[in-house]
Amino acid sequence: MNKTAPIAVFDSGVGGLSVFREIQKLMPNENLIYFGDTARVPYGTRSAATIQKFVKSDLDFLSRFEPKLIVVACGTASCVGAPVLEKECEHFTSVISPSAIAAAKTTKTGRIGVISTAATLKSGAFEKKIKELLPTAQVFTKAAQMFVNVVENGWIEEDNEIANAVAKEYLKELKQQDIDTLILGCTHFPLLSAVIQKQMGEGVTLISSGYETALAAKMDLEALGLRNQSDAPGSRKCFVSDNVDSFCQLTSIFLDHQVAKEHVELVEVN
Ligand code: DGL
């Protein structure tokens, strides 16, 4: 396989940019493609059959770039779409294993929390993976779908009243479970790290699916002998299935800069 082929990163919308940002930092010389399925977001409230159908069409779209690695930068697509990913992709990195491995390494008490979308929770994928790695672990899960809207509205500052009110409500049961590690199992959630940390207290270590997945993608490419050898900065190209303007605005929340409209292409997926 060609080492200069792109890494293709995809999500149901903008959340996967939290993975994309970390990939850019860790592997600035790699050519990157981002696809956000903004016409069909959210995935997290849908049935498994529908999510799997969406994941298949996302992969069909990305296949035209002949990527050397697919990074599934969406907790929901990673967990619910796993059968499709395993069937369709030669090489892929998803958010499940990297986050579960980091949590299993971090916990001292074996009491691990996972917050995610509703569909991810229903799949049981994080719980299964954590128990495989650490059979004595006790896993406490909570769906926190509204965090997706909180992030997309830009309410991410530590003292934002709405973000704190939503976090207080979602996290109150997990706080009572005395967990010492919490997986942010949806790629939108790392943007709310400060708010979530404040609610959970300093004694709880947050595992960011964004950073862990990017690191795993780098390790996967190295293991495959597929790292780009060039020293030049890699190319970046974004595709969305709806609303280029709103995607560009949201990039300023997720990345260190706002992506200009001319770097984003509207595509149709079906
Ligand atoms: N970014 C998606 C995830 O990681 C959440 C948004 C959605 O519900 O589509 O699960």
Side-chain angles (χ1 to χ4, degrees):
M1 194 175 270
N2 184 354
K3 289 182 183 176
T4 59
I7 301 172
V9 183
F10 82 98
D11 177 44
S12 56
V14 290
L17 289 171
S18 65
V19 180
F20 189 78
R21 179 185 58 194
E22 300 297 335
I23 292 178
Q24 286 192 118
K25 282 192 212 154
L26 285 170
M27 300 183 277
N29 66 332
E30 294 289 350
N31 298 315
L32 304 180
I33 283 168
Y34 184 84
F35 173 61
D37 192 7
T38 48
R40 301 187 294 198
V41 70
Y43 284 10
T45 51
R46 297 180 193 270
S47 70
T50 298
I51 295 166
Q52 287 169 6
K53 197 172 77 188
F54 290 172
V55 170
K56 170 78 171 75
S57 72
D58 298 341
L59 294 174
D60 286 346
F61 166 67
L62 291 171
S63 68
R64 75 177 69 165
F65 304 101
E66 299 182 4
K68 59 184 176 182
L69 181 73
I70 300 272
V71 178
V72 191
C74 174
T76 312
S78 298
C79 293
V80 184
V84 182
L85 294 161
E86 275 152 26
K87 186 161 167 241
E88 302 288 329
C89 302
E90 194 180 350
H91 305 301
F92 73 95
T93 306
S94 84
V95 307
I96 312 170
S97 288
S99 308
I101 291 169
K105 274 191 195 153
T106 302
T107 186
K108 298 219 164 35
T109 62
R111 298 176 75 83
I112 299 171
V114 183
I115 50 174
S116 67
T117 65
T120 295
L121 186 145
K122 201 166 166 210
S123 78
F126 275 109
E127 204 168 348
K128 186 164 167 255
K129 189 71 207 173
I130 294 166
K131 291 245 169 90
E132 235 173 75
L133 297 161
L134 193 66
T136 56
Q138 283 180 280
V139 184
F140 304 91
T141 56
K142 179 75 188 169
Q145 188 73 37
M146 212 188 284
F147 276 159
V148 173
N149 306 77
V150 171
V151 170
E152 295 203 359
N153 276 285
W155 296 327
I156 57 173
E157 300 304 326
E158 193 179 343
D159 56 356
N160 184 280
E161 279 179 34
I162 295 168
N164 277 286
V166 175
K168 197 170 173 196
E169 182 59 31
Y170 277 141
L171 301 174
K172 65 182 180 204
E173 289 157 30
L174 285 176
K175 269 180 94 167
Q176 282 165 7
Q177 300 300 344
D178 212 13
I179 57 170
D180 73 345
T181 306
L182 177 62
I183 295 180
L184 310 183
C186 164
T187 51
H188 277 72
F189 298 178
L191 276 292
L192 288 171
S193 289
V195 173
I196 294 169
Q197 189 76 69
K198 197 163 102 181
Q199 290 296 330
M200 295 306 296
E202 290 304 319
V204 175
T205 304
L206 304 186
I207 305 294
S208 161
S209 47
Y211 173 73
E212 299 301 338
T213 307
L215 192 62
K218 182 168 181 262
M219 280 161 32
D220 287 348
L221 279 180
E222 277 163 6
L224 291 163
L226 285 177
R227 281 299 313 274
N228 194 348
Q229 302 304 314
S230 160
D231 289 332
S235 62
R236 278 95 184 80
K237 180 84 196 166
C238 293
F239 299 87
V240 290
S241 50
D242 197 11
N243 213 333
V244 172
D245 287 329
S246 126
F247 177 81
C248 288
Q249 270 166 22
L250 284 166
T251 57
S252 63
I253 300 177
F254 284 87
L255 306 173
D256 305 329
H257 62 283
Q258 183 160 332
V259 173
K261 225 173 145 178
E262 48 277 21
H263 298 302
V264 184
E265 202 173 303
L266 186 66
V267 292
E268 205 176 313
V269 282
N270 42 44

